[in-house]
Amino acid sequence: MNHDMPSPAGTTDVFSTHSVYGTPCWVSLTSRDIKTTEAFYTAVLGWRWRPARLGERFRIALMDGAPVAGLAGVADMWRMAVAWTPYFAVRSADEAVSRVQERGGTLAVGPLSLPPGRAALLADRDGATFGVWQGELFTHWLSWRQAQPAFVRLHTRDAFDAAIFYGEVFDWGAAGPGRTEVVYEGDEVVLRSDGHVVACIESGALGSAPDPAIRPRWQVHFTVADVAACVRAAERHGGSVLALRDDEAVLRDNEGAQFTVTARHVRGPGPAGGPPTEWETE
């Protein structure tokens, strides 16, 4: 959800979702207890926090003074799960909702008017939750995309079917500036925008039968300098480790939301950037 997007007066590098249609444009965490959640991510990822314009239930995470992610203390109020959610840029939130519902997906919240735009929370036809945002993007948004988060990855039962669903909703692969390129790399569907990996979809080996045991979900990856230090901090502050290897760890925060930390030198899909093989054990 776009918590706080207006740019300071006099700036010119303001982007809108029209210019990056179909790409991930923000990540947001729903929480029950903002104070304890802030303390957890400050300890694990070194984030600082500031208020958001939407009110006391919303906060903006900062890394080196730049926006990284949003925090919304609305899990109980809106009867939502505690979870990290990627938001995709759309021209019209209402149109995106209609496209999702026409293709078997569901609407959870919205569309809501959150100046300077509109947002909605949805689920694809396999149950993976994601959001859409229509409106302005914050100043220096391109720097955010290149730095934090590294990318988002959908773990699902059938990557090919999921790519069709999202491709039809977001016009992936269509011609035009700012559009998302979709390619198969290894056993994953990989999305690129302006040469940057912005999302991946995986479901096991290409051509294999869908795995009914997989619980579809979007996983947010954050780049960090020291994966091991993040793991230790998460365990000290009420979190847990779901999967671990030298350059990546899947973590659960103090309220149960899952996310991944990836070594800063690892970007994108492939053997170096893929998920730990133990991922689906939890």
Side-chain angles (χ1 to χ4, degrees), residues 25-239:
C25 64
W26 190 237
V27 293
S28 180
L29 173 64
T30 48
S31 168
R32 300 185 187 93
D33 187 330
I34 287 181
K35 289 186 178 180
T36 60
T37 299
E38 284 184 352
F40 177 88
Y41 286 95
T42 295
V44 175
L45 298 178
W47 290 350
R48 296 295 181 263
W49 301 87
R50 68 170 172 82
R53 296 176 67 250
L54 294 180
E56 61 182 12
R57 291 180 178 270
F58 298 88
R59 304 281 286 172
I60 302 295
L62 305 173
M63 174 63 75
D64 298 327
V68 177
L71 170 62
V74 297
D76 288 336
M77 182 176 68
W78 290 354
R79 298 182 180 180
M80 297 169 62
V82 172
W84 278 103
T85 303
Y87 280 75
F88 291 81
V90 296
R91 291 186 298 259
S92 166
D94 296 277
E95 178 186 2
V97 168
S98 294
R99 289 189 179 192
V100 167
Q101 293 176 320
E102 288 167 0
R103 289 158 179 81
T106 57
L107 173 65
V109 178
L112 301 174
S113 293
L114 302 170
R118 285 170 62 76
L121 186 67
L122 304 132
D124 66 24
R125 53 191 169 216
D126 287 320
T129 301
F130 65 100
V132 295
W133 170 253
Q134 165 201 342
E136 291 183 7
L137 303 170
F138 54 81
T139 305
H140 306 308
W141 178 81
L142 288 177
S143 298
W144 171 86
R145 182 174 68 175
Q146 295 173 20
Q148 292 272 6
F151 52 93
V152 294
R153 175 178 270 116
L154 174 63
H155 300 263
T156 190
R157 300 185 182 97
D158 187 331
F160 183 75
D161 182 71
I164 292 174
F165 173 87
Y166 288 97
E168 291 177 345
V169 171
F170 297 128
D171 288 341
W172 287 349
R179 295 299 180 88
T180 304
E181 176 191 9
V182 184
V183 296
Y184 272 100
E185 295 185 7
D187 293 330
E188 292 186 318
V189 177
V190 179
L191 286 76
R192 297 180 184 272
S193 178
D194 293 332
H196 299 283
V197 175
V198 294
C200 304
I201 301 175
E202 65 90 21
S203 60
L206 184 63
S208 62
D211 184 352
I214 292 177
R215 178 188 172 192
R217 71 179 71 194
W218 281 96
Q219 187 81 350
V220 178
H221 294 238
F222 296 102
T223 54
V224 298
D226 189 336
V227 171
C230 291
V231 168
R232 292 192 296 270
E235 292 179 320
R236 286 197 305 268
H237 291 81

